[in-house]
Amino acid sequence: MNTFRTQFPNSFDLPQKLTRLGELAYNLWWTWNPTAMRLFSRLDNDLWERLNHNPIRMLREVDRSRLNEVTKDNDYMYSYKRVFSDLDAYLAQAEPWALRTHPELVNRPIAYFSMEFGLHETLPIYSGGLGVLAGDHLKEASDLGLPLTAVGFMYAQGYFSQRISEYGWQEAFNNPLVFEDLPALPVYEGNERLTIEVELPDRVLSAQIWEVRVGRVPLYLLDSNVEANSEYDRLLTGRLYWSDLDRRVMQEVLLGIGGVRALRALGYNPSVWHMNEGHAAFLVLERARELVAAGHTFQQAIEKTRKQNIFTTHTPVPAGNDEFPLWLMDKYLASTWPELGLDREQFFDLARHQQPQGETFSMGILALRYSEGRNAVSELHGQVARKMWNFLWPNKKESKVPITHVTNGVHTANWMARRLRNLLTEEFGSDWLDHLDEPELWAKLDDIETEKIWAVRQHLKRKMAFYLRERVRDRWRQGGFHPVQVVASGVMINPYALTIGFARRFATYKRASLILSDVERLLSIINRPNRPVQIIFAGKAHPADDPGKQLIQKIYQQVKRAETGGRLIFVEDYDMNLARYLVQGVDVWLNTPRRPLEASGTSGMKAGLNGALNFSVLDGWWRECYNGRNGWAIGEDKEHVSPEVQDAQDAEALYSTLENEIIPLYYSRDIKDIPCDWLERVKESIKTVTPQFSTRRMVKEYVDKLYLKALE
Ligand SMILES: *Cc1c(COP(=O)(O)O)cnc(C)c1O
């Protein structure tokens, strides 16, 4: 019997009538249930904003007299009762979708491994889309009642926060996280912290474990900051994606091998092992090692375990896959191959990759060879992946390479604005989220009065504009901000002008500066007095990515120019909170990746389900969603002879669609000043994006296409 337990580190000393708020603070279920969230924010709205929506700090810091006051507020206490009866029903649901439709899943846990998880802004253990996708996957698994358990890292400093200097250079600040303020529960075994160990050739690496509750799904996070480790090793889980290779490979050893051991220590015996990207691929080795230790040969062990392994690839460029030089593998895995019954060469043969600079050990190859389930994250990405990895199946035609695709999705309740949710509840009934992936539901959207949709859209844009202004004000008061940066950050934002959003990681393939390829033309587009257009940029570059930082600088130099009239805006420190305001508030969501390098993309889905219209290259998910009526395409669904030609053609398409279609449509109004034709597209966007590009559809597809097969 496992004797582990988690311990609530805080007793909040709450009034008797409110004690369960402490429990709610430790289950991220509140993050996608607005009524639950409001139990915290209503205690003190200003404090809630100041604390960056952190309920644990909120309960500790809010005035005690205020707590006593709400116990006498009937409306508050009514909400309180409702929230906890909803939560209890949710947690106790005996027959959720997964178990009702697939009884074979009962007692067959699915383990989900990811280097990052984007669950909420207070838990900054994600850097971008990969993490947010993983976070949304957990929330949906919880809603569907899938017996899923996740493994990742608790990063002591989280992902960096970003400031932009007056000259446009990104500055990175690493802020130590205060774990007592986070919804992470330390896991104990008896009276000691539960720890796991991984042997390296010259030392032992230890890690302790934290548990984060995501509805019904537990997420276990490994943390190397323990006394048994050297100072150097304690920093291993200090940050996401170390750029030095030693730490990088050690992190992956800890995730893949240590992650399996953590689940074992916690008493899990998963039936399915899902690797979200190749960072966790060493789990393949640990699972084989377990069977070798029990007396199997390596071949038997790897064949037996392969069936249950699932690998999702997210990278359409070979360089995006982690590969390690062989000397590094010697350094950190030399003690592993004898345990597998292999010699050095046999071990390298598992994932050997011939590269111009020499031989490497490829995490992508390891994962693909030793997983029976393999998928890309959109249809086009599936084609690209089959071509890219064809060499692993030399006897198969490209189209027969065994990599399927499951297009990404987003967690609707997490990303849809409360106002829009409320409108849909009024129109569709209170249980519409239970039917969210059913097309019949969305046919009813046409019956909603256009004016009501416009009112919601206007509200959301105003809310975003006011939020951005308050952000600038706070930043200005903190000092070190040049007056021109106040303008550049959006203080002159107009809540009634057509607003375009471009926010994502600054990786060069995303071509953030495409819209600046003809600056004079752009200035003439945005500055027409009766048809103003504003563009909001946001996003971080990885601290070691100088080309990405130069891209930010290039944009910032334009944003600062007086000629833009304050209509180009760069907002610092993109995170899930800012993302929420932007995807809900802008009119148009711009995306200009160099096709076909955006494997899927998800931010456009978040925008589209809120009624912001996508204006994007036909890459990744948008290629599957675009129907001519729900947004706009940039360029055609085809390959180009060269990146230069592609850039030039895409830039021309971008400007002309903006000038000839988007701006005229937005500013064409009826007698009540409502853009009716625009709103037809808004409806079409909500209708086509929400059901199909939801994690509801996505996780069900993972079950049908991959998880159930692994159980057979
Ligand atoms: C959704 C999201 C992403 C992913 O955006 P893409 O445009 O798909 O790359 C990145 N960062 C944050 C904070 C997000 O919420």
Side-chain angles (χ1 to χ4, degrees):
M1 261 336 272
N2 51 320
T3 54
F4 75 90
R5 66 194 164 85
T6 50
Q7 186 168 302
F8 285 94
N10 284 296
S11 69
F12 293 105
D13 197 17
L14 298 168
Q16 187 70 37
K17 282 182 163 171
L18 297 178
T19 45
R20 292 197 71 192
L21 288 177
E23 176 193 331
L24 186 63
Y26 282 95
N27 191 329
L28 292 175
W29 177 81
W30 70 263
T31 62
W32 70 95
N33 288 279
T35 319
M37 181 179 332
R38 280 167 56 79
L39 288 184
F40 298 120
S41 65
R42 284 170 71 180
L43 294 175
D44 182 341
N45 252 309
D46 290 343
L47 185 61
W48 179 244
E49 287 304 319
R50 241 185 359 262
L51 297 177
N52 193 31
H53 313 145
N54 182 329
I56 293 169
R57 289 192 60 189
M58 187 78 190
L59 294 184
R60 228 186 283 137
E61 294 176 32
V62 69
D63 230 7
R64 298 295 110 172
S65 61
R66 175 65 189 144
L67 289 173
N68 289 326
E69 198 175 285
V70 298
T71 59
K72 295 178 199 103
D73 175 340
N74 286 339
D75 188 51
Y76 186 95
M77 291 315 295
Y78 175 80
S79 270
Y80 180 94
K81 287 201 183 70
R82 223 191 80 199
V83 164
F84 286 99
S85 82
D86 286 354
L87 177 61
D88 290 340
Y90 180 87
L91 295 177
Q93 202 184 340
E95 281 229 310
W97 173 87
L99 305 182
R100 189 171 70 241
T101 53
H102 300 290
E104 63 270 44
L105 285 167
V106 176
N107 295 327
R108 308 294 290 279
I110 297 158
Y112 182 92
F113 282 62
S114 181
M115 194 80 154
E116 43 173 310
F117 287 92
L119 289 155
H120 188 253
E121 53 266 24
T122 48
L123 196 60
I125 57 171
Y126 64 93
S127 76
L130 181 75
V132 177
L133 177 82
D136 279 4
H137 195 112
L138 303 194
K139 290 170 185 167
E140 190 65 52
S142 170
D143 288 346
L144 290 173
L146 208 59
L148 189 134
T149 302
V151 179
F153 283 129
M154 184 69 174
Y155 297 103
Q157 307 195 334
Y159 201 49
F160 73 96
S161 56
Q162 177 199 52
R163 288 198 168 184
I164 307 292
S165 80
E166 187 190 336
Y167 307 102
W169 198 244
Q170 167 178 292
E171 292 164 359
F173 294 85
N174 290 298
N175 314 313
L177 300 182
V178 181
F179 291 178
E180 296 76 57
D181 293 348
L182 300 179
L185 300 161
V187 181
Y188 286 84
E189 187 177 28
N191 289 322
E192 304 282 326
R193 285 297 296 266
L194 178 64
T195 56
I196 53 103
E197 292 181 346
V198 175
E199 306 80 25
L200 301 178
D202 62 344
R203 62 189 191 274
V204 172
L205 191 62
S206 303
Q208 55 186 4
I209 302 170
W210 299 83
E211 181 183 337
V212 172
R213 296 185 181 162
V214 187
R216 292 184 266 216
V217 166
L219 163 61
Y220 294 104
L221 299 172
L222 304 174
D223 167 14
S224 72
N225 187 14
V226 297
E227 259 176 40
N229 288 336
S230 67
E231 281 303 312
Y232 178 87
D233 289 346
R234 291 178 77 152
L235 284 175
L236 188 59
T237 56
R239 291 188 198 167
L240 285 90
Y241 304 114
W242 287 105
S243 12
D244 83 272
L245 281 178
D246 282 81
R247 280 196 163 122
R248 190 68 173 257
V249 77
M250 278 169 66
Q251 272 191 336
E252 298 190 14
V253 164
L254 186 59
L255 181 64
I257 297 177
V260 174
R261 293 184 185 172
L263 289 180
R264 299 296 186 209
L266 290 161
Y268 285 93
N269 181 21
S271 299
V272 180
W273 300 78
H274 186 172
M275 293 164 254
N276 187 41
E277 195 48 294
H279 309 118
F282 288 135
L283 80 78
V284 163
L285 303 178
E286 174 63 7
R287 300 231 302 119
R289 191 199 59 78
E290 291 177 333
L291 292 189
V292 170
H296 290 80
T297 66
F298 177 75
Q299 267 320 315
Q300 290 166 338
I302 203 91
E303 287 309 323
K304 251 178 117 69
T305 51
R306 185 209 311 260
K307 203 164 165 20
Q308 298 176 308
N309 293 340
I310 291 168
F311 170 53
T312 301
T313 172
H314 295 262
T315 25
V317 272
N321 286 280
D322 274 341
E323 305 209 344
F324 299 113
L326 299 187
W327 62 263
L328 199 68
M329 300 299 290
D330 277 325
K331 195 167 164 189
Y332 293 106
L333 285 117
S335 53
T336 305
W337 53 75
E339 292 189 274
L340 292 168
L342 300 176
D343 65 26
R344 183 174 181 271
E345 289 309 309
Q346 288 169 328
F347 180 81
F348 290 156
D349 282 343
L350 299 176
R352 199 188 291 272
H353 200 190
Q354 212 65 48
Q355 293 284 27
Q357 74 275 20
E359 284 182 340
T360 64
F361 190 92
S362 157
M363 299 299 277
I365 293 179
L366 183 68
L368 283 166
R369 275 218 184 108
Y370 301 109
S371 302
E372 191 88 14
R374 312 168 191 89
N375 74 289
V377 290
S378 72
E379 188 198 17
L380 181 61
H381 179 223
Q383 291 172 26
V384 171
R386 285 188 288 276
K387 182 167 180 184
M388 188 167 123
W389 298 108
N390 201 167
F391 72 93
L392 291 177
W393 289 272
N395 301 326
K396 287 197 195 295
K397 285 202 303 200
E398 192 180 303
S399 62
K400 297 280 185 249
V401 170
I403 302 176
T404 181
H405 77 272
V406 176
T407 303
N408 285 343
V410 294
H411 188 268
T412 313
N414 189 41
W415 291 105
M416 187 179 276
R418 193 164 58 95
R419 271 291 164 104
L420 182 56
R421 248 176 101 159
N422 289 347
L423 176 64
L424 296 182
T425 299
E426 275 169 32
E427 303 281 336
F428 294 171
S430 59
D431 64 344
W432 70 269
L433 272 167
D434 298 338
H435 304 278
L436 109 93
D437 58 341
E438 298 166 15
E440 308 85 73
L441 176 76
W442 297 97
K444 291 195 274 181
L445 195 80
D446 290 330
D447 304 338
I448 301 181
E449 270 175 67
T450 305
E451 248 170 270
K452 289 187 178 167
I453 303 228
W454 180 236
V456 171
R457 295 293 318 151
Q458 291 284 82
H459 165 81
L460 293 174
K461 188 153 64 170
R462 277 195 301 270
K463 193 170 153 202
M464 171 188 75
F466 295 154
Y467 171 74
L468 292 180
R469 286 194 203 143
E470 287 310 308
R471 238 176 117 112
V472 188
R473 206 189 306 280
D474 278 351
R475 184 67 184 80
W476 177 228
R477 285 179 14 223
Q478 283 167 29
F481 215 42
H482 189 278
V484 75
Q485 295 186 275
V486 175
V487 175
S489 310
V491 84
M492 300 211 283
I493 194 167
N494 172 355
Y496 301 100
L498 173 62
T499 305
I500 300 174
F502 183 100
R504 47 186 46 82
R505 277 183 312 115
F506 272 78
T508 45
Y509 79 86
K510 293 182 182 258
R511 295 192 299 182
S513 63
L514 191 74
I515 195 166
L516 299 176
S517 24
D518 183 345
V519 174
E520 293 316 309
R521 189 166 173 188
L522 181 65
L523 290 178
S524 81
I525 291 174
I526 63 177
N527 278 325
R528 269 184 271 168
N530 52 353
R531 293 183 164 190
V533 176
Q534 51 202 5
I535 306 177
I536 305 175
F537 296 93
K540 296 173 179 173
H542 185 280
D545 177 14
D546 278 328
K549 287 193 265 187
Q550 281 156 7
L551 207 50
I552 292 179
Q553 187 168 40
K554 187 173 165 192
I555 288 168
Y556 207 76
Q557 276 162 356
Q558 294 299 335
V559 166
K560 274 194 334 186
R561 287 175 60 191
E563 291 87 336
T564 69
R567 292 200 174 104
L568 296 187
I569 295 164
F570 191 103
V571 187
E572 289 176 327
D573 209 24
Y574 185 51
D575 69 352
M576 287 180 75
N577 184 38
L578 180 57
R580 209 178 296 117
Y581 279 98
L582 296 180
V583 298
Q584 295 175 2
V586 302
D587 301 297
V588 173
W589 193 253
L590 177 68
N591 193 15
T592 52
R594 181 171 283 135
R595 186 186 180 279
L597 299 185
E598 179 93 308
S600 167
T602 51
S603 62
M605 304 172 186
K606 304 168 196 165
L609 66 85
N610 278 295
L613 298 178
N614 277 275
F615 179 32
S616 171
V617 170
L618 289 171
D619 196 6
W621 80 281
W622 184 235
R623 184 176 162 276
E624 290 163 45
C625 182
Y626 176 62
N627 66 6
R629 286 172 283 120
N630 56 359
W632 292 271
I634 299 171
E636 291 165 44
D637 186 17
K638 66 165 194 193
E639 280 173 34
H640 287 268
V641 288
S642 75
E644 292 74 28
V645 172
Q646 187 173 9
D647 289 358
Q649 287 185 0
D650 287 350
E652 175 53 37
L654 195 165
Y655 289 129
S656 68
T657 307
L658 206 50
E659 287 169 327
N660 302 324
E661 297 186 39
I662 299 180
I663 301 171
L665 194 70
Y666 183 78
Y667 285 109
S668 125
R669 304 294 172 95
D670 73 0
I671 196 145
K672 290 186 187 152
D673 203 31
I674 294 178
C676 296
D677 295 336
W678 180 274
L679 289 164
E680 285 310 310
R681 283 190 182 243
V682 168
K683 281 187 179 175
E684 187 68 17
S685 170
I686 298 172
K687 198 156 98 181
T688 51
V689 175
T690 317
Q692 183 63 16
F693 300 93
S694 61
T695 44
R696 183 70 47 84
R697 186 271 311 151
M698 178 187 89
V699 172
K700 285 182 176 178
E701 212 174 312
Y702 272 103
V703 171
D704 291 337
K705 274 190 172 166
L706 294 152
Y707 295 162
L708 291 177
K709 285 223 172 68
L711 291 178
E712 277 165 15

